[in-house]
């Protein structure tokens, strides 16, 4: 009997577990020949790409409804140690017990976290990185109309004009207006570069700027956050913004568990993996999703994105399954890269390729974003056949729609 252990119940981990079950099934191996276990801190798959939206609490899928029907054993627990020599993982169980799990093959899919900045008052910052954090922001905003104070209650500051910052900042004016009534609303976007969306390139920038203007967002470029407290944000140029709401969105880093694997890591902590998603130089360990610096098409390294985490998960699952069964491994080959960025009530912008050529804008792109967010990124539930069909690593995103737009 061989045991496959997956760490993390996010997009990569869920699909790695399902991909491994599918590989076993395709090979015609007996169920007890290969067991698949997933250990994760949460009971739900958090739909992180939707956490900038309303009702973040609802953006989740119960892991048992995906993993249960396909026979993946799930252990709720926080992994605290990985010994790649002994091939064991230690963890803290939900009831506080110490767990030790052994594996023949490990998939590290423990994701990423936004980096907390080293600024004075960082404990007052909000973020939308996790379900609890996004729920805390929503609850805070919903109460602003009833707490004591002046108009500064309806001022929000968003730090970072990258993907997440832009999606959050274009939603906030409407959310603040809903609680402010006829009092003035102010939203400021702070970016330390000299332009918005620095990593998005010049292609989508005109759309982004138009959306920010449409939403009435003020820009503070070439500055960073210096300090924050309950009533103000202070910027590096000395500007003081009276506000109760500062949302931090800058900088993602791979899970700290990557540091327990004796491999090479990139600048954001992701492990170097080969074309089969095996961690280079570490026997029996694969990485997928935000923990893995996998190479996508054209030599580009994947983005920390759901778009890449799902196909990496499926492929890592297929390969760990094949590996323990002595079958050939398959190289990672994701669909061509696209980006669909939500821009609040203004719409969205769809780009194709790594140079981010604009393919669609406005309501049309927003409709696509809605389909991606409400359909494509959700795994099927309660239906083993549907889950295992979609777990096929050859089945990727239904991006024909996107390709036809850009053709
Ligand atoms: C606001 C926001 C908007 C986004 N928008 C987009 C978008 O438009 N398009 C896109 O493609 N991507 C988007 N992303 C990025 C995307 O959500 C991530 O890249 C994706 O979730 C990565 O999946 P993952 O499975 O690798 O990791 P995660 O989703 O981070 O899942 C990791 C899992 O591992 C668990 N875990 C971590 N440490 C431990 C431990 N020690 N023990 C046990 N379990 C552990 C976590 O609890 C979690 O369940 C967005 C992210 C955010 C936050």
């Amino acid at each position: 009997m061989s045991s496959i252990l997956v760490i993390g119940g996010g997009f990569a981990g869920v699909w790695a577990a399902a991909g491994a079950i599918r590989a076993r099934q395709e090979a015609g191996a007996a169920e007890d020949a290969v067991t698949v276990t997933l250990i994760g801190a949460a009971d739900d798959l958090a739909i992180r790409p939707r956490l900038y939206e309303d009702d973040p609490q609802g953006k989740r899928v119960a892991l048992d409804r995906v993993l249960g029907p396909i026979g993946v054993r799930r252990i709720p627990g926080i992994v605290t140690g990985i010994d790649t020599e002994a091939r064991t993982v230690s963890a803290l169980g939900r009831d506080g017990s110490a767990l030790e799990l052994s594996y023949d093959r490990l998939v590290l899919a423990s994701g990423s976290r936004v980096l907390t900045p080293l600024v004075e008052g960082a404990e007052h910052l909000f973020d939308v990185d996790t379900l609890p954090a996004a729920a805390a922001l929503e609850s805070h905003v919903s109460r602003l109309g009833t707490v004591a104070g002046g108009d500064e209650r309806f001022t929000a500051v968003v730090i970072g004009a990258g993907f997440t910052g832009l999606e959050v900042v274009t939603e906030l004016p409407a959310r603040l207006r809903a609680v402010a009534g006829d009092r003035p609303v102010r939203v400021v976007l702070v970016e330390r570069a000299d332009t918005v969306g620095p990593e998005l390139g010049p292609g989508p920038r005109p759309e982004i700027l138009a959306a920010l203007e449409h939403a009435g967002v003020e820009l503070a470029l070439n500055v960073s956050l210096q300090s924050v407290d309950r009533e103000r944000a202070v910027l590096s140029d000395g500007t003081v913004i009276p506000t109760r709401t500062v949302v931090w969105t800058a900088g993602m880093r791979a899970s700290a568990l990557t540091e327990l694997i004796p491999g090479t890591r990139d600048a954001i902590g992701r492990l170097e993996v080969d074309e089969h998603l095996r961690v280079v130089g570490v026997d029996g360990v694969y990485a997928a999703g935000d923990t893995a610096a996998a190479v996508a098409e054209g030599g580009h390294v994947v983005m920390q994105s759901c778009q890449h985490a799902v196909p990496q998960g499926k492929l890592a699952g297929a390969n760990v399954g094949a590996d323990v069964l002595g079958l050939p491994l398959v190289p990672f080959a994701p669909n061509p890269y696209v980006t669909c960025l939500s821009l609040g009530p203004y719409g969205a912008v769809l780009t194709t390729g790594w140079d981010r050529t604009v393919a669609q804008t406005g309501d049309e792109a927003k409709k696509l974003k809605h389909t991606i967010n409400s359909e494509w990124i959700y795994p099927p539930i309660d239906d083993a056949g549907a889950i295992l069909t979609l777990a096929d690593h050859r089945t990727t995103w239904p991006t024909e729609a996107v390709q036809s737009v850009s053709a």
Side-chain angles (χ1 to χ4, degrees), residues 206-223:
E207 280 302 305
I208 293 169
L209 288 170
L212 294 173
E213 193 179 334
H214 180 262
V217 172
E218 290 173 38
L219 290 182
L221 300 175
N222 290 311
V223 280

Side-chain angles (χ1 to χ4, degrees), residues 108 140 154 164 171 200 247 335 348 362 364 387 402:
L108 183 67
H140 165 81
F154 310 111
T164 303
E171 292 285 329
L200 283 157
V247 187
N335 280 12
E364 260 185 319
I387 296 160
V402 175

Side-chain angles (χ1 to χ4, degrees), residues 8 10-12 41 48-49 77 79 110-112 257 289-290 304-307 369:
F11 292 99
R48 288 177 76 199
V79 172
S110 47
S112 60
L257 293 183
D290 286 1
Q304 282 188 311
S305 65
C306 184
Q307 178 182 171
K369 181 74 178 181

Side-chain angles (χ1 to χ4, degrees), residues 185-212:
V185 160
R186 182 182 180 208
V187 177
V188 184
L189 178 60
V190 175
E191 167 57 53
R192 71 175 171 193
D194 61 1
T195 186
V196 295
E199 74 276 34
L200 283 157
R205 194 158 298 135
E207 280 302 305
I208 293 169
L209 288 170
L212 294 173

Side-chain angles (χ1 to χ4, degrees), residues 48 50-57 59 126-141 175:
R48 288 177 76 199
R50 301 194 69 178
L51 296 182
Y52 66 89
E53 297 182 28
D54 281 349
D55 181 30
Q57 282 284 36
K59 307 298 188 286
F126 290 91
D127 67 70
V128 292
D129 197 48
T130 61
L131 281 165
L137 173 62
E138 165 144 303
S139 152
H140 165 81
V141 170
R175 281 164 82 172

Side-chain angles (χ1 to χ4, degrees), residues 7-14 39-42 44-53 63 75 77-80 91 108-114 128-130 163-165 167-168 252 255-257 288-292 303-310 312 337-342 369 372-373 377 397:
I7 301 178
F11 292 99
V14 163
I39 181 161
D44 298 310
L45 165 67
I47 308 295
R48 288 177 76 199
R50 301 194 69 178
L51 296 182
Y52 66 89
E53 297 182 28
L63 286 171
I75 301 176
I78 295 173
V79 172
T80 51
L108 183 67
S110 47
S112 60
R113 281 295 164 257
V114 72
V128 292
D129 197 48
T130 61
F163 289 88
T164 303
E167 293 196 326
V168 171
M252 299 278 281
S255 143
L257 293 183
D290 286 1
T291 56
M303 299 293 289
Q304 282 188 311
S305 65
C306 184
Q307 178 182 171
H308 284 137
V310 170
Q312 283 182 76
Y337 180 57
V338 300
T339 302
C340 195
L341 179 73
S342 175
K369 181 74 178 181
I372 293 169
N373 273 6
I377 60 176
W397 303 108

